[in-house]
Amino acid sequence: MITSLSSLKLLLDRCSRHENLITQIHSHAITSGLFQTHQNLASKLLNIYAKKLNKPTIAHKIFDQIRDPDLISWTCLMSLYLHSKQPLKTLSLFSDMMGGLKLKPDGHCIVAAISACGGSKSLVVGKMVHAMVVKYELCGEKPIVSNALIDLYARNGRVDLGRRVFDSMVVKDVASWTSLVNGYCLCGDIVFARKVFDEMPERNVVSWTAMIVGHVRSKNVVCGLKLFREMRMEGGECNRPSSITIVAVLSGCADIGALDVGGLLHGYVNKVASLVTDVSVNNALIDMYSKGGSLEMARKVFNKMPQKDVFSWTSLISGFALHGEGRSAVQIFNNMVLTGLSPNEITFLSVLSACGHAGLIKEGQTLFDKMVHNYGLKPTIKHYGCMMDLFCRAGHITEATELIKKMPMEPDAVIWRSVLNACMIKRDLQLAEIAAKKVLELEPYDDGVYMILWNLYRLMNKWQDALETRKLMRNQNIKKQPGCSWVEINGLVHEFTAESTMNQLAVDVQTVLEILSGQSRFIHDIYIL
C-alpha cells in the first residue's frame, strides 16, 4: 500500500496537467480506499483539479468523498474557490468549518478567509475574522496573517485600520510594507503611499509595481514613468520588471503618447522569453502603439502573437477606431468572429465607436442588433452613447431623439452632450437648450456646455442670450478648463497645461522666446535705421 501510495504521488507530480492520467489515478485512489486513510493524497488531487486543470466541481466532489476532512482539506478547498475568484463560497466553507466542526483555524486557513473578505468587499465579516485572529493568537512571529489583514482593510477603503495593524506588528517583511503602500494607492492617497515607499528598508518588484500602478491609475503618468526609470537604475534580481510592471508602464505610455519610452520597453520585452509570449504584455503593446498612432506597429505585434484572446482583437479594433479607420476596424471585427471567438461588451463598444467616427451608420445599426439578438448581450449606457454619437455625428437628430425614447435607462450627460453637439451643427437652438439643461442638471460645472451655447447664440445673432450665458458662468465661478498636453524629448516626458508655468522646460522655452523676441526687435531697429 505504501509503495502504491508513493507511486501515485510521483505520478501526480509528473503528469499533473494530463487530465486522462489524473482521472485514472483518481479512480485507482477511490477503488483502493486511499481517500479514507491518506488525506494528503486527496488534498493533492484537490489542488491539481482546482489550480492546474480548472475543475472546481470535481475537486469539490473529491472533498465530499473524504470521511472526516481535516483542517488541511478544508483549507485546500477554501483556496480552490479563492483562486477561482469565488470568495463568497470560500467564506461559506469557512463558516461551515468553524460552526459545524469546531475546528481551530491555523494561519493558512485564516489567511484564505481574510483574502476572501477582501475579494468580496465584506468588511463586517472581515472584522469578525480579525477578532478570531486575536482570539486564537494567530499573528505570531510570521507576518503573513497581518499582511492579509492590511490588504483586507485597504480593499475595503479603510487603509486607516490597515495602518493600525501595520503599526502593531512586531515583525514586518517587505510584503507588509508593500501591502500598506498598495492600500494607500487603492484609496488614491499617492502622497502617503510615496512616504511609506520611501521609508521601506527594502523593496522588490511588487512594491515598485504597486507605486507605478498607483501613479498611472491616478493619472500621474509622468511620475509613474520616472519611478520605473528609478527601478531599472537600482537594478538587482528582485527589481526585475514583471509582466504586471510592464503592462502598467505601457498603459502609462499609451495614456500620454510616450512612444519612445514604449519602444524601448518593447525592446526589453523582446529579450525576455517569458514576456514575448505573454498575452497581457502584447495586448498592452498593441494598445500603446494604437493610441500613439503607430497602427502598423500595433498590427505587427498582433500578427506575431502566438496566442490571441478577445482583448487582443479588441485592442486592435479600438486602435483603428481611435484614428478614424472605421472600415478597417469593422473588418478586423469580422475576422475575429471568423476565428470562433465571441466578442464581449468592450469589443462592441470599440467597433460601434469606429462606426461613429467613420460615419458608418448602417454598419453600426447592424452591429448593435447583432450584439443584442445574436450574442445575447445587454446594451449598457455606453453602448447607447456610441449609437447616439453615431447618429449625432451624421446629423441624424431625429433618429437620435427616437433612440433616447427607447432607452431602458435615463440618458447620461455624455448622451445629451452628443445631442448638444449635433444641435450646434444643425443650429437647432430649441433642442440645444433642452440638451444643455439636461447636461447641467447632471454636471452643473461643465464649462463646455456653456461655451457651446455661447457660440450657438452668437451664430444665431442672439447676442443678449450669449452675454447672459457668459454672465452665468462668471456668477457661478465656472472657468474654461485649461488644456493639457505632453511632449516627449530624449525619452523624458514633460507635461504642459495652458495656465502652467511651473515646468522647468516651460521656463527654458520662455527664456528662448524672450531672447528671440529681443533679437527680432534688434533686427527690426537695424532695418529702420
Side-chain angles (χ1 to χ4, degrees):
M1 182 66 72
I2 296 176
T3 305
S4 176
L5 179 64
S6 302
S7 301
L8 287 176
K9 287 183 176 179
L10 184 62
L11 281 171
L12 283 174
D13 290 333
R14 291 186 175 181
C15 59
S16 59
R17 294 188 182 276
H18 298 278
E19 189 172 351
N20 291 335
L21 292 174
I22 295 300
T23 303
Q24 293 178 36
I25 295 170
H26 182 190
S27 301
H28 180 71
I30 293 173
T31 55
S32 304
L34 293 176
F35 281 1
Q36 284 70 27
T37 55
H38 296 86
Q39 293 188 5
N40 57 348
L41 177 65
S43 297
K44 202 175 190 67
L45 274 169
L46 272 176
N47 276 310
I48 291 172
Y49 276 115
K51 297 179 182 179
K52 295 184 179 179
L53 298 180
N54 195 25
K55 302 284 184 180
T57 305
I58 298 176
H60 203 143
K61 287 181 179 178
I62 293 173
F63 177 83
D64 292 337
Q65 292 168 1
I66 303 173
R67 182 175 300 171
D68 295 309
D70 59 7
L71 189 59
I72 296 174
S73 301
W74 281 97
T75 304
C76 184
L77 190 61
M78 288 170 61
S79 299
L80 180 162
Y81 285 114
L82 189 62
H83 286 98
S84 301
K85 296 183 179 180
Q86 300 182 66
L88 292 177
K89 286 196 175 183
T90 301
L91 291 177
S92 178
L93 282 167
F94 181 73
S95 177
D96 291 343
M97 185 192 79
M98 295 300 296
L101 302 176
K102 305 296 183 183
L103 288 174
K104 177 183 176 181
D106 63 0
H108 297 288
C109 175
I110 211 76
V111 165
I114 294 170
S115 300
C117 292
S120 61
K121 301 294 180 68
S122 305
L123 181 59
V124 175
V125 180
K127 288 182 177 180
M128 294 170 63
V129 177
H130 190 177
M132 292 181 190
V133 171
V134 176
K135 177 182 178 180
Y136 294 111
E137 299 179 347
L138 293 174
C139 284
E141 295 181 359
K142 294 184 179 180
I144 182 171
V145 175
S146 296
N147 295 347
L149 284 170
I150 295 170
D151 184 66
L152 156 71
Y153 289 122
R155 288 178 181 272
N156 283 277
R158 292 302 305 273
V159 70
D160 57 320
L161 297 179
R163 182 73 199 223
R164 286 189 193 179
V165 175
F166 179 83
D167 291 337
S168 66
M169 291 174 67
V170 178
V171 179
K172 301 180 181 75
D173 60 7
V174 66
S176 312
W177 290 87
T178 303
S179 296
L180 189 60
V181 167
N182 189 53
Y184 281 116
C185 288
L186 288 174
C187 295
D189 196 338
I190 300 298
V191 175
F192 265 89
R194 185 58 193 258
K195 185 179 179 181
V196 175
F197 181 78
D198 290 337
E199 293 173 358
M200 290 181 69
E202 63 173 318
R203 302 165 182 161
N204 60 15
V205 63
V206 181
S207 47
W208 280 102
T209 301
M211 279 302 300
I212 293 168
V213 171
H215 278 88
V216 171
R217 285 180 178 172
S218 63
K219 306 301 180 183
N220 197 351
V221 177
V222 175
C223 286
L225 295 182
K226 287 180 180 177
L227 273 170
F228 179 73
R229 194 174 187 181
E230 289 175 24
M231 173 187 172
R232 297 294 295 133
M233 290 175 67
E234 191 167 296
E237 188 64 29
C238 64
N239 292 329
R240 189 182 296 275
S242 66
S243 61
I244 300 173
T245 319
I246 299 296
V247 169
V249 177
L250 287 172
S251 176
C253 293
D255 288 343
I256 63 174
L259 282 180
D260 285 351
V261 177
L264 291 172
L265 202 56
H266 190 183
Y268 173 79
V269 167
N270 288 334
K271 296 177 183 178
V272 182
S274 60
L275 295 177
V276 171
T277 56
D278 191 289
V279 176
S280 61
V281 171
N282 282 291
N283 291 348
L285 282 169
I286 294 169
D287 183 61
M288 186 266 297
Y289 282 122
S290 296
K291 288 181 178 177
S294 185
L295 295 178
E296 284 305 312
M297 279 301 299
R299 194 186 281 275
K300 283 182 181 179
V301 173
F302 179 84
N303 290 337
K304 287 182 180 179
M305 289 178 68
Q307 291 183 331
K308 303 177 182 72
D309 60 11
V310 177
F311 295 102
S312 312
W313 289 91
T314 302
S315 296
L316 193 64
I317 293 168
S318 179
F320 277 85
L322 183 66
H323 296 283
E325 298 287 342
R327 295 197 180 278
S328 297
V330 172
Q331 184 60 52
I332 295 168
F333 176 87
N334 293 333
N335 292 340
M336 171 189 169
V337 173
L338 289 174
T339 65
L341 280 174
S342 296
N344 58 22
E345 292 89 345
I346 303 173
T347 315
F348 276 104
L349 271 179
S350 299
V351 74
L352 287 175
S353 174
C355 292
H357 287 291
L360 305 175
I361 298 175
K362 290 183 179 179
E363 290 85 346
Q365 289 176 308
T366 302
L367 288 167
F368 188 82
D369 290 338
K370 282 185 177 180
M371 179 181 71
V372 177
H373 300 109
N374 292 20
Y375 294 97
L377 298 174
K378 188 177 180 180
T380 65
I381 190 72
K382 292 184 178 179
H383 294 99
Y384 282 106
C386 284
M387 292 303 295
M388 289 297 298
D389 184 64
L390 175 67
F391 288 133
C392 291
R393 281 176 180 269
H396 294 188
I397 298 180
T398 303
E399 288 86 342
T401 53
E402 287 297 320
L403 183 61
I404 288 177
K405 294 176 183 177
K406 295 178 182 177
M407 286 174 57
M409 72 282 288
E410 287 294 321
D412 61 3
V414 175
I415 288 177
W416 285 115
R417 201 177 285 111
S418 295
V419 175
L420 183 59
N421 287 325
C423 292
M424 180 70 182
I425 298 170
K426 290 291 185 177
R427 299 192 180 185
D428 188 335
L429 184 58
Q430 184 178 1
L431 184 57
E433 289 177 333
I434 295 173
K437 182 181 178 181
K438 293 289 187 180
V439 175
L440 293 176
E441 286 175 359
L442 298 166
E443 297 179 2
Y445 298 100
D446 187 341
D447 60 295
V449 174
Y450 289 97
M451 297 306 298
I452 290 175
L453 272 179
W454 181 69
N455 282 318
L456 188 55
Y457 283 134
R458 287 193 311 118
L459 289 171
M460 303 294 290
N461 290 320
K462 291 184 174 290
W463 295 103
Q464 186 61 38
D465 290 328
L467 291 173
E468 287 295 326
T469 303
R470 298 291 290 190
K471 184 179 178 180
L472 189 60
M473 286 184 69
R474 285 195 300 271
N475 291 342
Q476 296 185 3
N477 198 26
I478 296 173
K479 296 181 179 179
K480 188 177 184 304
Q481 294 298 315
C484 180
S485 62
W486 296 271
V487 176
E488 183 181 13
I489 302 174
N490 296 328
L492 291 176
V493 179
H494 304 272
E495 183 178 5
F496 295 90
T497 59
E499 295 180 353
S500 174
T501 57
M502 297 300 292
N503 190 290
Q504 181 58 46
L505 191 60
V507 175
D508 295 340
V509 170
Q510 185 65 31
T511 303
V512 172
L513 287 174
E514 289 175 358
I515 293 171
L516 291 173
S517 178
Q519 289 180 343
S520 64
R521 283 197 299 269
F522 176 72
I523 295 171
H524 180 69
D525 292 342
I526 291 176
Y527 277 107
I528 291 175
L529 291 173

